[in-house]
Each structure stands twice: as structure tokens, then as C-alpha cells.
């Protein structure tokens, strides 16, 4: 895990954090949403106060693409930068990491798809998360769309763990209810999948379980009001802890499927996860009933006197109800997913690294059935 600076107003520490890592000129990676919300100004001011030179790159879209990372790497070299700041959600932070790979290792970003393919150390990385969703600011993941193959590439490497992660809950006050719901359900998915992962450990379980409790108690009020500072702070902490859990335990079939879908459709990652999660949970219940019972308890369900399967079913119902309550999409077809893509998406998802740690073995026919149910 990186060094973590957490708390309201912590964005002001971005500049001195880079300075401590030896930076002289930083590339700030962000997007138009962060700029419009006014948070880039805070970062720029912090860099000025620290005496740092900087250049800003903001050509980043939802579900970031390989061509964007290549542009960013060229921009970094042209401006002779020596460190990178990412300010935004998962798309921005994943792009910043991918740029870092290219400026020291060269080649194309597709060369690094998979596990541990980065050979040369990256420039200093300081990531400031603004969405309470992806957990990328503390993880060893970067997920980038291959525009040629039209699929999301999962890049996993300890080299991608940032040096310093800054989480300022104040940045969440400018998010819409819609985005708050989507990113919050991404946090929930991270917590559940990392807890159920076959690579989970007692350490990752602590983070995953804490995140589950925090989401169940705070996501609804966080969606309900931009001004609920306590709920925003707790969701930021949930995202951080879920990020630490999945970075070490990896994920499961929900993310393998959502990566495959996200490479083809410009959908919000959290929305896709929200639709798929209950169906994948139903599929996985057979493999880990004891853990499902714990999930139900962590979500606040009363399970006394119930069998483990009955308790697990309560957990699944809770997840569905939470998603409905905060207005998340309930079907893939609502978001523009086409039924004729089920076969292709099923094939792509089986090659995703996240499928390896799913608690139940998954076949091509299993994936097809899951997608048909979610359609």
C-alpha cells in the first residue's frame, strides 16, 4: 500500500508530497469534470506553494483508452516532467498510471496487459482521489481500453501502487447523486468480491469487512445529500479500505464481466457492476456459504436461526434493494447493452485476470447464463 493522507482539506498536501519524492516538474493528469468542479485549482495552487513547475493533461474520458495514455506519455516527455499527479476518479488515476508505464518502459500499453510485465521503475506517483469509488489510488491495477480489440486490458503490477495517495472527502461534495450512486456501488462490489476471493487473507478480510459496513450505513445518505459531510467521509474511507482489500486479494466474475462490457460500451463501470453483482452473488453462493452469511451480517441483516444459504440469500436481497433505493440501473438492456453481444462478451470475460480468483469455477455457459439473466 502507498503512504495515505486522508481527511478534509488534504488536497493541499499534493505539492509538498511531490516535493518529498524529489519532483521538480510534475504532470497533472485530470479530466474536465474535475476542472469544472474547481478541484484542479486547489492542486495547482498547492504545486505553486511548493515551488513546483507543472503541466496539465486532461484528455481523459470515461473508460480510458490506449490512445489517451500514448498522448499523455508524449505530453509528459515534451514538457520534461519527472513525476505524475493524478486528480480524479478511476479513469484519471488509471490513465496516470498507464502514462507512467510508457514514459519509463516504452512500447505500447497493450504490451503490459496481464500480471507483472513492468520491468523498469516508474516516476514518482501521487494520486488524489475525488470519487470514492475506484480505489485505484491505492491499488496495483490499471484498466485501459484497447481500442483495436475493443476490450478492457487489466494491468496488474506492484509497480502501479502509487507512492502517496491523497483522499480528501471534500471533493465528494461536487459529485451528482447519479455518480455518487454508481461509484458507491463500485465500492460495494470491491468489498464483496475481495472478501469472497480465493486469494483473500485475514488482512484483506479486515479491510473488506470494514468497507462493507461503511457502505451499508452511508451510501444511501451520501446519495441523498451533497452536504452530508459525515456520510461523504465514511464513503471515502470505505473506498480506501475496499481498494486495499482488492489490490491484495484481487476480485471476481463481476469485474471480469464489467471489464469486458466496458471495452465495448461507454457505460459507467459502477453501473455495470451494480447490475451484475446480485446475479454473480447468486451463482457464487454455493461456493462460500459461510462467507455469504458474514456478508449478510456486515450489511446489517438479522440471520439468527437461518441456515448459511438462507442468510446468503438475505445478503443478495440486501444488495438488490440498496441498488434500487439509490436509483441504479437494474438491467444491462437499460444501458444499451445488446443481446447479440452476449456470446462475444462471455468469451472476453473468461480471459480477464479477475476471473481467476472468483470463488466458484466459471465456464463459458455459466457466463452466458449470467449475462442473459442480467440482460
Amino acid at each position: 500500500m502507498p503512504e495515505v493522507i486522508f481527511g478534509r482539506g488534504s488536497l493541499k498536501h499534493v505539492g509538498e508530497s511531490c516535493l518529498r519524492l524529489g519532483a521538480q516538474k510534475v504532470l497533472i493528469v485530470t479530466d474536465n469534470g474535475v476542472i469544472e468542479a474547481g478541484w484542479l485549482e486547489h492542486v495547482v495552487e498547492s504545486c505553486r506553494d511548493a515551488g513546483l513547475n507543472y503541466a496539465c493533461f486532461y484528455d481523459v474520458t470515461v473508460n480510458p483508452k490506449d490512445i489517451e495514455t500514448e498522448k499523455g506519455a508524449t505530453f509528459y516527455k515534451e514538457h520534461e516532467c519527472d513525476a505524475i499527479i493524478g486528480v480524479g476518479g478511476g479513469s484519471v488515476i488509471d490513465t496516470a498510471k498507464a502514462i507512467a508505464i510508457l514514459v519509463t518502459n516504452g512500447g505500447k500499453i497493450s504490451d503490459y496487459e496481464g500480471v507483472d510485465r513492468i520491468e523498469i521503475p516508474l516516476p514518482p506517483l501521487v494520486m488524489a482521489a475525488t470519487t470514492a469509488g475506484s480505489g485505484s489510488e491505492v491499488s496495483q491495477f490499471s484498466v485501459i481500453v484497447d481500442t483495436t480489440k475493443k476490450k478492457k486490458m487489466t494491468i496488474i503490477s506492484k509497480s502501479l501502487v502509487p507512492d502517496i495517495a491523497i483522499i480528501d472527502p471534500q471533493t465528494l461534495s461536487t459529485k451528482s447523486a447519479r455518480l455518487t450512486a454508481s461509484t458507491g456501488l463500485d465500492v460495494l462490489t470491491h468489498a464483496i468480491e475481495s472478501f469472497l476471493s480465493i486469494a483473500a487473507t485475514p488482512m484483506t478480510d479486515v479491510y473488506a469487512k470494514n468497507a462493507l459496513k461503511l457502505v451499508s450505513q452511508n451510501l444511501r445518505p451520501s446519495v441523498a445529500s451533497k452536504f452530508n459531510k459525515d456520510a461523504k467521509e465514511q464513503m471515502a474511507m470505505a473506498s480506501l479500505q475496499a481498494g486495499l482489500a482488492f489490490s491484495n486479494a484481487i476480485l471476481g466474475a463481476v469485474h471480469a464481466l464489467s471489464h469486458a462490457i466496458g471495452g465495448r460500451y461507454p457505460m459507467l463501470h459502477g453501473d455495470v457492476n451494480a447490475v451484475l453483482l446480485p446475479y454473480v452473488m447468486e451463482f457464487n453462493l454455493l461456493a462460500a456459504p459461510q462467507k455469504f452469511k458474514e456478508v449478510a451480517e456486515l450489511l446489517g441483516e438479522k440471520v439468527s436461526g437461518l441456515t448459511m444459504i438462507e442468510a446468503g440469500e438475505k445478503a443478495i436481497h440486501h444488495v438488490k434493494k440498496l441498488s434500487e433505493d439509490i436509483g441504479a440501473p437494474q438491467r444491462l438492456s437499460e444501458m444499451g447493452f445488446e443481446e447479440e453481444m452476449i456470446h462475444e462478451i462471455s468469451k472476453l470475460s473468461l480471459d480477464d485476470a479477475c476471473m481467476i480468483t472468483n470463488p466458484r469455477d466459471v465456464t463459458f455457459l455459466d457466463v452466458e447464463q449470467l449475462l442473459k439473466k442480467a440482460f
Side-chain angles (χ1 to χ4, degrees):
M1 63 178 288
E3 175 187 338
V4 175
I5 302 172
F6 183 97
R8 298 174 196 170
S10 58
L11 211 56
K12 67 185 178 186
H13 295 294
V14 171
E16 60 93 11
S17 294
C18 289
L19 212 57
R20 286 194 284 118
L21 296 171
Q24 295 182 317
K25 184 171 184 179
V26 296
L27 176 69
I28 302 172
V29 181
T30 191
D31 61 20
N32 286 317
V34 174
I35 295 169
E36 289 167 10
W39 299 116
L40 178 61
E41 294 174 22
H42 292 257
V43 172
V44 167
E45 183 180 353
S46 177
C47 289
R48 286 177 183 152
D49 290 345
L52 283 171
N53 292 315
Y54 60 87
C56 296
F57 178 79
Y58 50 88
D59 192 6
V60 180
T61 57
V62 174
N63 297 320
K65 297 155 189 66
D66 47 11
I67 52 176
E68 294 163 10
T69 66
E70 289 159 13
K71 285 181 186 175
T74 301
F75 191 87
Y76 177 102
K77 292 173 182 175
E78 287 174 349
H79 289 80
E80 299 181 328
C81 299
D82 57 13
I84 298 177
I85 299 170
V87 189
S91 294
V92 165
I93 294 174
D94 282 4
T95 301
K97 291 178 178 181
I99 291 169
I101 295 170
L102 294 180
V103 298
T104 53
N105 287 263
K108 301 178 295 183
I109 198 63
S110 58
D111 297 336
Y112 305 97
E113 183 180 8
V115 183
D116 293 335
R117 294 189 176 175
I118 299 169
E119 296 181 354
I120 302 172
L122 308 188
L125 299 176
V126 175
M127 300 297 159
T130 64
T131 60
S134 76
S136 187
E137 72 278 5
V138 294
S139 85
Q140 59 169 322
F141 282 69
S142 177
V143 181
I144 304 293
V145 173
D146 182 325
T147 53
T148 303
K149 296 181 179 178
K150 294 185 179 179
K151 68 162 195 166
K152 279 190 173 183
M153 301 175 285
T154 303
I155 304 166
I156 307 173
S157 170
K158 297 293 188 296
S159 297
L160 293 175
V161 177
D163 296 284
I164 300 174
I166 295 174
I167 298 101
D168 186 342
Q170 283 185 345
T171 61
L172 306 181
S173 64
T174 54
K175 281 174 64 181
S176 67
R178 180 80 186 77
L179 189 57
T180 301
S182 181
T183 53
L185 289 166
D186 195 19
V187 176
L188 178 67
T189 309
H190 291 156
I192 289 174
E193 288 214 290
S194 59
F195 184 57
L196 298 174
S197 165
I198 61 171
T201 67
M203 185 197 78
T204 61
D205 283 354
V206 170
Y207 290 124
K209 286 156 77 169
N210 282 344
L212 271 170
K213 284 183 187 176
L214 290 172
V215 173
S216 69
Q217 295 165 5
N218 295 282
L219 182 51
R220 285 182 179 88
S222 183
V223 171
S225 173
K226 288 182 179 180
F227 306 105
N228 191 327
K229 293 180 180 179
D230 289 339
K232 301 294 184 193
E233 187 163 335
Q234 294 304 314
M235 282 305 300
M237 180 56 73
S239 178
L240 167 62
Q241 296 200 27
L244 291 170
F246 87 74
S247 181
N248 290 278
I250 319 301
L251 293 158
V254 176
H255 272 79
L257 282 162
S258 64
H259 289 160
I261 292 169
R264 291 292 175 132
Y265 296 93
M267 300 174 182
L268 290 175
H269 174 65
D271 285 355
V272 181
N273 284 347
V275 172
L276 294 170
L277 181 58
Y279 299 103
V280 174
M281 288 177 73
E282 286 173 357
F283 175 79
N284 284 333
L285 177 56
L286 185 69
Q290 176 59 50
K291 279 207 159 185
F292 268 84
K293 183 179 180 181
E294 288 184 70
V295 170
E297 290 172 328
L298 292 162
L299 292 172
E301 294 291 336
K302 295 178 181 177
V303 298
S304 178
L306 300 180
T307 66
M308 286 187 287
I309 295 294
E310 289 169 341
E313 289 169 347
K314 274 207 155 193
I316 296 163
H317 176 75
H318 184 109
V319 168
K320 286 181 179 176
K321 184 70 166 60
L322 174 57
S323 178
E324 290 168 2
D325 287 352
I326 60 177
Q330 299 301 302
R331 315 292 308 177
L332 292 175
S333 53
E334 288 177 41
M335 298 185 285
F337 183 79
E338 299 153 303
E339 192 170 9
E340 57 266 30
M341 288 297 295
I342 287 177
H343 184 85
E344 185 175 339
I345 294 299
S346 297
K347 284 198 300 183
L348 282 173
S349 69
L350 289 172
D351 293 329
D352 192 281
C354 292
M355 199 67 91
I356 298 166
T357 47
N358 194 69
R360 183 174 175 182
D361 295 343
V362 187
T363 68
F364 175 79
L365 289 177
D366 292 330
V367 179
E368 275 200 323
Q369 286 302 310
L370 284 169
L371 287 173
K372 285 174 182 176
K373 286 181 180 179
F375 181 73

